[in-house]
Amino acid sequence: TCAVILHSKRLSITRATVQSGRGHPEEEARVVEHQSFEQVALLTTQPLRAGHNYTLSIQYHANLSHTFRGFYKSTYRTREGELRVLAATQFEPTAARMAFPCFDEPAFKARFSIKIRRDNKHLALSNMPVVKSVNVTPCLVEDHFDTTVKMSTYLVAFIISDFKSISKITRRGVKVSVYTVPDRIHQADYALDAAVRLLEFYEDYFSIPYPLPKQGKYLAAIPDFQSGAMENWGLTTYRESALLYDPEKSSASSKLWITKIIAHELAHQWFGNLVTMEWWNDLWLNEGFAKFMEFVSVNVTHPELRVEDHFLRRCFDAMVVDSLNSSHPISTPVEDPAQILEMFDDVSYEKGSCVLNMLRDYLTADVFKAGLVQYLQKYSYQNTKNEDLWNSMTNAIFFFLPSQICPTEKTELQSDGFCRSSQESSSNAHWTQGEALDVRAMMDTWTLQRGFPLVTVTVRGKNIHLQQEHYRRGADAPSPTGNLWHIPLTYITSKSGTVQRFLMTTKADVMILPGMVNWIKFNVDMSGYYLMHYEDDGWDRLINLLRRNHTVISSHDRASLINNVFQLVRIKKLPISKAFDLTLYLKHEREMMPVLQGMSELVPLYRLMESREVDGVEKELQEYLISLFKGLVDEQPWSDEGSVSEQLLRDSLLLFACVHRYQPCLDRARGFFTEWQKSNGTFRVPADVKTAVYAVGAQTPEGWDFLLSKYQLHTFSAEKEKMELALSLSRSQEKLQWLMDQGLSGDGIIRAQDLPHIIVLVANNPSGHHLAWTFLKENWDKLIEKFGLGSSSIANIVTGVTRCYSTRSQLAEVREFFSSLEEKSAGLRCVQQALETIEHNLQWMDRNLEEVKTWLQKKH
């Protein structure tokens, strides 16, 4: 060939040469750029021969990026108000080409030698430790970093800053360091301790030592950062609020989020960095796994955070997106940078983690872990596809077969190789024999087709009839043919709390129970990624169980019943009155998961009615909501006492009660805010009641201005997020518009990184619905330039601004705007999701509004 094609974006290449080995002269290469492909071709005069080594030398220059991608500029102010500048990188998925010409695809792994020149008051960091520093001039230093291991371009990273650090050494001698702006180094202790514990956990769990040099595992908090964090090998980077924790000011939710994010990025050091997906279509092999490992690791290292409670919510969130026609299979073909960016969504992350959790529950934790370890060891420093993981899992099962582990404590291995309990009939035992051992056949049904199954149960005496179908929202969704899943069903009954198991691989099946039961509950603890429907009087029996003694089943099971019943209303399998009947029991509920699930089903319905200004119904629904949770709200201490779950519940409950105008909550919050304002911010408001206190205080013009003045000070990051929420609840349209304009200008009061969040907060405010939509339309091109076409930031803005739309005119307006844009914008998946959601809201309101009105009048 006479051409070498590399990726390059916004780089000005001034010279390129090719050398065919030491001692040979360099030959000039002609450079041809193809901007729309983000590529350059280096054309040589002589053909390059296969099997020969060549050295390419390229001279180029570029400006620091003003987006959050590539090698970009970030700023912060010191306590004294001095503006300081730093430079950092964010290359995933396709932005390494904005910093240096390269083969910018995950399968082109290479070793990288990096040298950085900096002035002597700054510090340079990269993936590897510095091996030497050379003084070039009295003020200029050149740092030489150790050559990296073999890795993909998107994992390369470097930072030039004046950061300070603290360090600690793990049991195996790895030095872990956390870097932050100097004024915030006192907030790095929690992250350092968590990182050390988690790194030690992963080294044990994966049976592979941390793959990089022991003198360097760096975590850095970057003042301007678009996503939550990034797993660059050896130098993980974070938003400040995702890494910094102040024991005096931070809430329980902040601690949980920081721990999970550190766990996620450290899991990537093995899953994603050591073993990398071959192409972005299998991004979930990186992200689904890291999400899942948050749950596995934090459960062990920080059991007090009860991370399992939050894992379930992810599966419910994923199902909302995955039930739309615009969803996609976990593994989906992608080609251009915008399509690749769109893969960073709830399906790759949340659904990916949920199906892995289901697989672990099915195979048992030991078999699953053995499969993972085998996969990591076999494919270290290589790239993989879906099937490589399933083959490793299948091999692990055969390895365990002689000492087979049966799925429940009360089952035993029979001579036919099946796990059977004394209560189960043989029809109920196709579990780990024959075709059931083919992990790939099972998991292909979850990763290669979109959506998930709804399983309908009909009880006929001892016979349990099961039927599966594709769950799809929207009355007129076309029915895909042949969608079939291999579903590892789990269930408990009124007769036995022992978890029983049944692998369903056909459209319909029948199970035979040992005896008649009063009720049966499938998908125990929501360990499976599927919904359940109970025909005939099945739901009535479960609703009665919740009313009589809800603690007979676990809080996770109660949360999943609340979720499932509302999803069945969406597809006309149940009337809305049945779902509301179930919620009546919530007056007696005290556990976090079911309470938050109840809120997350009911509050959006209130929002729909509020945004439509439905006469009287929204007021009655608000009164019903308050009546359900009033008892629990009244029990809350306005302090930081209690377990992490109790603190998290308190934070959500008090905000809910104050936003919905519950008078005792408003009075209490006002009292705290007045004290805080009188003390000029020195009075300590307990961390877990701050959100409610700020939200109520910001309702007056003086309170809003005072809160903004505190926001502008050198405020702690996690605190700023609470203040943003409160500031966006103002009823003044002028103030709401100002918040969004500030975020767009990014002049320092509100950082551009926080703008997507602020736009959605404004859209959630009845006074801001229209403002946020107008802002999106008028600033679309600027938002795309800043955050990137296809990014999750853009997706969150588009779906967040239109989430409560439910009228035909709103649907027409949204459709018209996006149709007027160029094809790439109009075709974004988030646009299709937004349009579908509005259609579903419209259908929901048409179908259920009168029935909700009637139910509320009867019951309330």
Side-chain angles (χ1 to χ4, degrees):
T1 180
C2 288
V4 177
I5 295 172
L6 297 165
H7 288 100
S8 170
K9 183 180 179 184
R10 296 181 190 165
L11 303 178
S12 182
I13 295 176
T14 51
R15 184 169 183 248
T17 60
V18 180
Q19 190 180 23
S20 62
R22 281 198 183 151
H24 289 263
E26 288 186 336
E27 290 181 31
E28 293 280 335
R30 192 158 65 88
V31 180
V32 179
E33 187 171 9
H34 195 317
Q35 280 192 353
S36 61
F37 281 14
E38 301 180 357
Q39 290 176 344
V40 289
L42 307 185
L43 306 176
T44 59
T45 49
Q46 300 295 316
L48 303 177
R49 289 174 297 166
H52 287 242
N53 287 334
Y54 295 89
T55 302
L56 299 182
S57 300
I58 301 171
Q59 289 177 13
Y60 67 97
H61 60 262
N63 294 324
L64 288 176
S65 167
H66 287 282
T67 68
F68 298 99
R69 302 177 298 287
F71 187 25
Y72 70 94
K73 175 180 151 182
S74 172
T75 60
Y76 73 93
R77 287 194 184 276
T78 64
R79 267 206 183 86
E80 293 71 39
E82 180 196 344
L83 185 72
R84 293 196 181 166
V85 179
L86 60 126
T89 58
Q90 169 61 40
F91 291 160
E92 189 180 34
T94 59
R97 63 192 69 172
M98 293 173 72
F100 53 93
C102 54
F103 297 110
D104 200 9
E105 295 181 7
F108 287 106
K109 291 194 169 187
R111 292 184 168 85
F112 297 88
S113 296
I114 294 171
K115 296 175 188 173
I116 295 176
R117 287 188 176 184
R118 56 173 174 87
D119 61 34
N120 53 18
K121 68 178 182 200
H122 282 136
L123 156 92
L125 292 169
S126 187
N127 307 79
M128 303 292 276
V130 172
V131 285
K132 70 171 181 178
S133 296
V134 179
N135 288 319
V136 182
T137 71
C139 300
L140 197 63
V141 180
E142 185 174 272
D143 291 322
H144 296 227
F145 294 89
D146 206 350
T147 303
T148 70
V149 295
K150 201 169 146 195
M151 67 187 203
S152 305
T153 46
Y154 76 86
L155 294 169
V156 175
F158 30 90
I159 301 168
I160 298 90
S161 69
D162 64 346
F163 286 176
K164 293 275 182 280
S165 68
I166 55 170
S167 305
K168 203 171 180 179
I169 293 176
T170 69
R171 282 199 306 265
R172 291 200 175 151
V174 178
K175 184 181 178 184
V176 180
S177 305
V178 177
Y179 286 81
T180 80
V181 303
D183 287 348
R184 297 199 171 144
I185 194 64
H186 65 284
Q187 295 164 5
D189 292 314
Y190 178 77
L192 181 61
D193 287 341
V196 166
R197 279 158 77 178
L198 286 157
L199 198 65
E200 289 172 347
F201 170 83
Y202 285 134
E203 288 196 313
D204 290 342
Y205 186 88
F206 294 136
S207 305
I208 298 172
Y210 176 62
L212 297 191
K214 290 196 168 182
Q215 64 266 44
K217 170 71 200 96
Y218 316 115
L219 297 83
I222 312 294
D224 297 285
F225 202 81
Q226 185 170 336
S227 58
M230 174 61 206
E231 68 266 22
N232 317 301
W233 214 351
L235 174 55
T236 50
T237 46
Y238 304 77
R239 249 183 201 230
E240 290 187 326
S241 59
L243 197 65
L244 305 183
Y245 180 84
D246 186 334
E248 283 300 300
K249 295 178 180 171
S250 295
S251 61
S253 58
S254 181
K255 179 183 273 192
L256 176 70
W257 194 50
I258 290 167
T259 315
K260 278 168 41 180
I261 285 196
I262 294 171
H264 183 103
E265 304 314 327
L266 291 185
H268 272 311
Q269 307 301 296
W270 286 265
F271 258 101
N273 300 8
L274 183 65
V275 180
T276 313
M277 77 265 139
E278 191 166 290
W279 180 242
W280 300 105
N281 61 310
D282 279 331
L283 173 70
W284 85 279
L285 285 175
N286 282 17
E287 298 302 348
F289 255 102
K291 260 302 178 204
F292 173 67
M293 289 309 300
E294 289 175 25
F295 164 59
V296 175
S297 60
V298 176
N299 226 339
V300 174
T301 60
H302 298 77
E304 73 284 359
L305 295 180
R306 283 189 57 180
V307 71
E308 66 276 10
D309 284 350
H310 308 277
F311 190 77
L312 266 196
R313 295 291 293 280
R314 289 180 186 165
C315 304
F316 296 148
D317 291 345
M319 283 174 161
V320 170
V321 176
D322 203 23
S323 60
L324 299 172
N325 283 328
S326 50
S327 184
H328 61 93
I330 285 179
S331 184
T332 298
V334 286
E335 290 177 7
D336 65 43
Q339 289 175 347
I340 291 167
L341 264 180
E342 282 192 299
M343 287 297 284
F344 291 76
D345 68 354
D346 277 356
V347 173
S348 297
Y349 283 72
E350 316 298 358
K351 180 181 179 177
S353 65
C354 295
V355 300
L356 288 169
N357 184 49
M358 178 171 67
L359 180 62
R360 183 173 81 143
D361 188 63
Y362 170 63
L363 294 178
T364 73
D366 289 342
V367 173
F368 182 83
K369 179 179 168 182
L372 284 196
V373 170
Q374 189 187 114
Y375 168 79
L376 288 172
Q377 289 177 341
K378 183 174 180 181
Y379 296 106
S380 288
Y381 304 103
Q382 295 175 52
N383 295 79
T384 56
K385 299 201 255 312
N386 253 348
E387 53 264 34
D388 298 321
L389 178 62
W390 308 143
N391 294 340
S392 294
M393 289 290 173
T394 302
N395 293 341
I397 297 170
F398 283 110
F399 174 77
F400 269 85
L401 265 179
S403 56
Q404 177 92 45
I405 300 160
C406 283
T408 64
E409 289 167 28
K410 297 186 181 173
T411 54
E412 55 192 24
L413 193 67
Q414 306 293 321
S415 57
D416 60 1
F418 286 122
C419 292
R420 182 105 18 91
S421 86
S422 53
Q423 293 167 290
E424 284 183 324
S425 72
S426 60
S427 75
N428 192 1
H430 31 292
W431 189 247
T432 52
Q433 182 77 347
E435 71 276 1
L437 288 174
D438 187 350
V439 175
R440 182 176 175 181
M442 174 184 166
M443 293 310 290
D444 278 355
T445 70
W446 296 96
T447 60
L448 301 184
Q449 57 185 355
R450 67 180 166 85
F452 54 91
L454 166 68
V455 180
T456 299
V457 180
T458 314
V459 179
R460 296 278 177 268
K462 291 197 295 187
N463 289 4
I464 308 294
H465 294 258
L466 302 165
Q467 183 111 16
Q468 64 160 296
E469 63 189 286
H470 184 172
Y471 175 93
R472 292 177 336 283
R473 269 160 71 188
D476 312 313
S479 180
T481 51
N483 281 56
L484 189 69
W485 284 265
H486 291 193
I487 312 171
L489 296 171
T490 54
Y491 64 94
I492 51 174
T493 68
S494 53
K495 292 278 172 69
S496 168
T498 303
V499 180
Q500 307 293 340
R501 299 172 185 273
F502 183 85
L503 184 68
M504 183 179 185
T505 56
T506 51
K507 208 84 180 160
D509 212 334
V510 182
M511 282 173 11
I512 303 162
L513 296 182
M516 307 268 277
V517 294
N518 184 31
W519 55 262
I520 186 165
K521 162 74 177 74
F522 277 86
N523 202 356
V524 180
D525 283 340
M526 186 68 198
S527 59
Y529 188 74
Y530 54 90
L531 294 180
M532 294 302 307
H533 177 37
Y534 303 90
E535 282 277 24
D536 303 331
D537 65 346
W539 274 106
D540 291 331
R541 287 167 181 259
L542 289 166
I543 289 169
N544 287 334
L545 169 71
L546 290 175
R547 283 195 195 154
R548 281 197 323 273
N549 183 6
H550 62 271
T551 56
V552 168
I553 57 175
S554 72
S555 64
H556 284 193
D557 277 330
R558 303 195 298 271
S560 77
L561 286 175
I562 295 166
N563 171 271
N564 286 199
V565 79
F566 278 94
Q567 305 324 306
L568 292 166
V569 173
R570 288 187 180 278
I571 57 166
K572 299 195 279 195
K573 293 272 187 188
L574 285 177
I576 187 66
S577 55
K578 187 71 72 190
F580 270 77
D581 285 347
L582 185 144
T583 62
L584 282 164
Y585 104 91
L586 282 166
K587 287 183 179 177
H588 309 290
E589 183 57 82
R590 292 297 177 266
E591 291 280 332
M592 181 179 78
M593 275 294 297
V595 169
L596 293 184
Q597 195 55 41
M599 283 185 188
S600 72
E601 299 298 346
L602 291 165
V603 171
L605 302 187
Y606 170 75
R607 286 255 168 82
L608 273 184
M609 293 175 192
E610 181 185 45
S611 68
R612 257 212 200 180
E613 295 169 359
V614 178
D615 247 14
V617 186
E618 56 170 294
K619 192 167 185 303
E620 284 180 47
L621 183 54
Q622 173 151 298
E623 284 168 7
Y624 175 62
L625 281 170
I626 291 292
S627 75
L628 279 186
F629 302 114
K630 175 174 162 308
L632 192 53
V633 171
D634 291 342
E635 290 169 18
Q636 297 305 309
W638 285 63
S639 68
D640 290 334
E641 65 192 58
S643 67
V644 171
S645 289
E646 286 166 343
Q647 290 173 276
L648 288 166
L649 180 58
R650 181 179 312 133
D651 195 343
S652 297
L653 266 178
L654 296 180
L655 178 65
F656 159 83
C658 284
V659 166
H660 291 278
R661 324 292 306 152
Y662 179 50
Q663 201 57 46
C665 183
L666 293 173
D667 295 342
R668 202 72 197 272
R670 244 181 238 121
F672 270 101
F673 192 85
T674 306
E675 282 290 316
W676 185 62
Q677 197 172 355
K678 272 201 294 205
S679 72
N680 196 22
T682 58
F683 173 75
R684 186 183 179 276
V685 180
D688 296 303
V689 306
K690 267 181 188 165
T691 319
V693 169
Y694 293 163
V696 172
Q699 291 305 297
T700 65
E702 309 76 46
W704 197 90
D705 291 342
F706 180 74
L707 194 61
L708 181 67
S709 71
K710 293 297 164 203
Y711 179 90
Q712 284 177 256
L713 292 176
H714 183 82
T715 311
F716 179 54
S717 306
E719 187 103 331
K720 281 197 157 172
E721 288 172 10
K722 288 182 168 55
M723 291 181 175
E724 284 164 4
L725 171 64
L727 292 168
S728 71
L729 287 169
S730 169
R731 286 189 283 269
S732 157
Q733 294 200 337
E734 196 184 320
K735 285 179 162 52
L736 297 176
Q737 185 65 46
W738 184 86
L739 286 173
M740 295 189 291
D741 291 341
Q742 282 295 314
L744 189 65
S745 71
D747 71 352
I749 296 178
I750 290 173
R751 289 188 178 274
Q753 66 172 17
D754 299 322
L755 177 61
H757 180 57
I758 282 173
I759 296 171
V760 175
L761 289 175
V762 170
N764 285 339
N765 178 341
S767 305
H769 284 329
H770 188 64
L771 287 178
W773 170 241
T774 306
F775 185 86
L776 180 156
K777 288 192 295 183
E778 289 176 354
N779 297 289
W780 179 256
D781 291 338
K782 289 178 186 168
L783 293 170
I784 293 296
E785 170 59 26
K786 192 74 186 167
F787 299 108
L789 189 70
S791 68
S792 58
S793 300
I794 293 294
N796 291 340
I797 294 170
V798 171
T799 55
V801 166
T802 56
R803 189 175 292 130
C804 292
Y805 284 10
S806 67
T807 66
R808 283 168 180 79
S809 60
Q810 286 170 328
L811 177 61
E813 193 183 341
V814 174
R815 187 170 273 139
E816 186 189 349
F817 170 69
F818 285 110
S819 303
S820 72
L821 300 175
E822 60 159 6
E823 192 185 338
K824 276 192 168 177
S825 286
L828 287 173
R829 191 181 289 127
C830 63
V831 172
Q832 309 315 312
Q833 288 169 347
L835 291 169
E836 273 190 80
T837 302
I838 300 169
E839 284 170 355
H840 296 160
N841 290 345
L842 184 57
Q843 291 164 2
W844 196 98
M845 291 291 270
D846 287 351
R847 253 193 336 254
N848 299 306
L849 184 58
E850 285 309 311
E851 201 179 334
V852 170
K853 201 184 284 189
T854 309
W855 190 92
L856 288 169
Q857 281 161 357
K858 249 198 267 176
K859 297 281 179 185
H860 197 54

